[in-house]
């Protein structure tokens, strides 16, 4: 099957080509992100393959459907960027990669927690300048601290498991409870209770209408003084302006982000020769207690291999008319 692969980086190409050796789909790699402007590249193709910052809104979907696209093969687990109602109305099939390595993201969340706590990002720079002073680098023992996990699915549960190994007390919030987490002694709380008691809050729930700006000014107000907030899930879970206020007042003592509300215009590209226009993002970078990575939590060899393998097998299922377990059900999407 001929597939237009949008937002292609060299590593996508390497892993997709390796996974495609047996199935032999005709992969056409496009570096640009899918937008209305670049949608012309999909002309005549029956399928496209998209990543998290590709634009899959109603207008773009309608345009690519008119030029022949029938399949959207997502290289991601999250599908909050796809207008599912439009996909259903246009009779598009949307496939995804539901799990590729929850370890990759959980381990990155813990990396942010450890780095922020022990100020590794600052220590690295100091030592390179022969500054061996310790003032400002004081950390705390994770052992005995309370970690509030919001969203205790695959990634949240693994994050909890790692932190359980450090001797942390685990609390959680989810719409349904996870038996593994209960088995580790996690106490499920309401969100206000979790915010009021957690030393570290780590976000692992999906971006949904009900979780948009889950962390707003009211949530920050409920948190402990000097709390550490970590988001490796989706940027729009956090109202960045509210969190910036929390950092300025000292209420938030540490902020670790792998995702950012307006990341679409920033992440995955080298912008080091450009002037960044996003003042809110630039302000975040000025805080010594903020550590940001550019949506790299998923970026391990194992994850890329699994993403590529599942994506190719999803495309093969569609091409051969087989039912695909990884199809996003559009039947119950609201009109
Ligand atoms: P998952 O589906 O296994 O778990 C999500 C959990 O969130 C479930 O337990 C679900 O019940 C819970 N949930 C649903 N609605 C909720 C609500 N309103 N409040 C609280 N919890 C709610 O998903 P996962 O594989 O653990 O992934 C979690 C998130 O991680 C994804 O949605 C995605 O946004 C993000 N992610 C980020 C990266 C990255 O590179 N930074 C990579 C993969 C996934």
């Amino acid at each position: 099957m001929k597939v237009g692969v949008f937002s292609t980086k060299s590593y996508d190409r390497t892993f997709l080509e390796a996974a495609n050796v047996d199935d032999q789909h005709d992969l056409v790699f496009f570096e640009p992100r899918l937008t209305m402007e670049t949608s012309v590249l999909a002309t005549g193709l029956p399928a496209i393959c998209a990543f998290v910052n590709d634009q899959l809104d109603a207008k773009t979907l309608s345009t690519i459907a008119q030029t022949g696209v029938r399949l959207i093969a997502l290289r991601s687990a999250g599908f909050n960027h796809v207008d599912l109602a439009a996909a259903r109305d246009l009779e598009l099939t949307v496939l995804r990669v539901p799990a590729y390595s929850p370890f990759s993201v959980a381990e990155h969340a813990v990396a942010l927690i450890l780095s922020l706590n022990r100020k590794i990002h600052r220590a690295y720079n100091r030592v390179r300048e022969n500054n061996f002073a310790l003032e400002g680098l004081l950390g705390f023992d994770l052992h005995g601290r309370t970690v509030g996990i919001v969203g205790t699915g695959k990634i949240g549960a693994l994050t909890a498991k790692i932190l359980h190994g450090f001797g942390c007390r685990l609390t959680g919030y989810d719409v349904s409870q996870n038996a593994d987490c209960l088995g580790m002694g996690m106490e499920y709380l309401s969100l206000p209770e979790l915010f009021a008691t957690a030393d570290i809050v780590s976000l692992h729930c999906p971006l949904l209408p009900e979780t948009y700006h889950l962390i707003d000014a009211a949530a920050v107000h409920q948190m402990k003084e000097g709390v550490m907030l970590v988001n490796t899930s989706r940027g729009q879970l956090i109202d960045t302006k509210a969190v910036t206020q929390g950092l300025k007042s000292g209420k938030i003592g540490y902020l670790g982000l792998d995702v950012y509300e307006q990341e679409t215009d920033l992440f995955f590209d080298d912008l080091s020769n450009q002037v960044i226009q996003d003042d809110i993002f630039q302000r975040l970078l000025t805080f010594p207690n903020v550590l940001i990575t550019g949506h790299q939590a998923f970026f391990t060899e194992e994850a890329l291999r699994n993403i590529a393998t599942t994506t190719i097998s999803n495309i093969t299922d569609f091409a051969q008319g087989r039912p695909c377990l990884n199809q996003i059900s559009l039947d119950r999407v609201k009109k």
Side-chain angles (χ1 to χ4, degrees):
M1 185 167 209
K2 197 162 184 176
V3 186
V5 183
F6 281 87
S7 299
T8 304
K9 301 290 182 198
S10 61
Y11 44 83
D12 295 310
R13 191 176 184 137
T14 303
F15 282 90
L16 281 169
E17 284 181 343
N20 191 35
V21 168
D22 292 336
D23 298 52
Q24 288 290 314
H25 294 293
D26 183 2
L27 304 179
V28 188
F29 293 100
F30 302 127
E31 282 181 28
R33 197 161 71 78
L34 175 64
T35 62
M36 269 305 288
E37 289 68 40
T38 62
S39 60
V40 66
L41 293 167
T43 305
L45 299 175
I48 64 143
C49 179
F51 197 47
V52 289
N53 286 335
D54 285 309
Q55 198 174 310
L56 295 158
D57 55 11
K59 208 168 156 203
T60 314
L61 289 178
S62 166
T63 304
I64 60 173
Q66 275 168 32
T67 62
V69 171
R70 309 271 25 103
L71 171 67
I72 314 282
L74 300 175
R75 308 198 289 284
S76 59
F79 49 87
N80 51 281
H81 55 310
V82 186
D83 187 323
L84 296 179
R88 183 210 39 225
D89 295 347
L90 294 161
E91 296 181 8
L92 292 167
T93 298
V94 186
L95 308 177
R96 68 180 182 125
V97 183
Y100 41 86
S101 169
F103 303 101
S104 63
V105 185
E107 289 170 14
H108 193 79
V110 177
L112 289 175
I113 291 171
L114 290 170
S115 302
L116 277 168
N117 174 21
R118 307 307 291 267
K119 284 100 178 159
I120 302 297
H121 53 303
R122 302 187 65 196
Y124 173 79
N125 285 326
R126 279 195 194 184
V127 170
R128 282 168 68 92
E129 300 208 347
N130 298 333
N131 175 357
F132 306 108
L134 298 183
E135 281 86 354
L137 301 184
L138 191 67
F140 56 84
D141 287 1
L142 279 174
H143 181 92
R145 295 288 173 150
T146 300
V147 183
I149 305 279
V150 180
T152 57
K154 292 180 286 298
I155 296 170
L158 279 172
T159 306
K161 190 176 173 188
I162 300 170
L163 292 167
H164 186 242
F166 280 105
C168 295
R169 176 176 169 251
L170 300 173
T171 62
Y173 171 78
D174 199 308
V175 289
S176 62
Q177 300 193 352
N178 180 319
D180 289 343
C181 291
L182 289 169
M184 286 184 273
M186 179 179 281
E187 185 184 359
Y188 278 90
L189 300 173
S190 68
L191 264 186
E193 286 169 337
L194 182 145
F195 291 150
T197 51
D199 298 299
I200 300 169
V201 175
S202 193
L203 304 181
H204 302 284
C205 61
L207 175 63
L208 303 166
E210 56 271 30
T211 58
Y212 175 80
H213 282 188
L214 185 89
I215 307 297
D216 57 8
V220 172
H221 181 71
Q222 289 164 7
M223 291 182 191
K224 275 176 95 165
E225 200 66 26
V227 65
M228 182 188 294
L229 176 63
V230 173
N231 186 9
T232 55
S233 189
R234 284 291 179 269
Q236 287 160 314
L237 295 178
I238 287 184
D239 175 351
T240 315
K241 283 188 183 159
V243 163
T244 302
Q245 281 308 318
L247 285 161
K248 285 169 78 174
S249 71
K251 179 84 175 176
I252 297 178
Y254 312 79
L255 177 68
L257 300 180
D258 184 55
V259 287
Y260 167 63
E261 237 185 322
Q262 304 296 336
E263 71 177 51
T264 313
D265 295 331
L266 296 172
F267 288 2
F268 303 121
D269 287 315
D270 178 0
L271 306 181
S272 54
N273 288 320
Q274 295 187 25
V275 174
I276 302 294
Q277 299 299 322
D278 184 333
D279 294 346
I280 297 172
F281 186 75
Q282 291 302 93
R283 178 68 178 101
L284 279 183
L285 296 181
T286 66
F287 294 99
N289 50 351
V290 172
L291 182 52
I292 305 179
T293 52
H295 208 139
Q296 71 170 78
F298 74 101
F299 200 58
T300 66
E301 280 176 31
E302 291 80 0
L304 290 197
R305 197 173 307 117
N306 293 339
I307 289 171
T309 307
T310 305
T311 299
I312 295 296
S313 99
N314 283 346
I315 294 167
T316 304
D317 283 341
F318 180 84
Q320 298 188 351
R322 290 196 300 249
C324 181
L325 281 176
N326 299 327
Q327 181 164 352
I328 298 172
S329 170
L330 304 178
D331 299 342
R332 285 192 289 167
V333 173
K334 286 192 197 124
K335 293 264 179 203

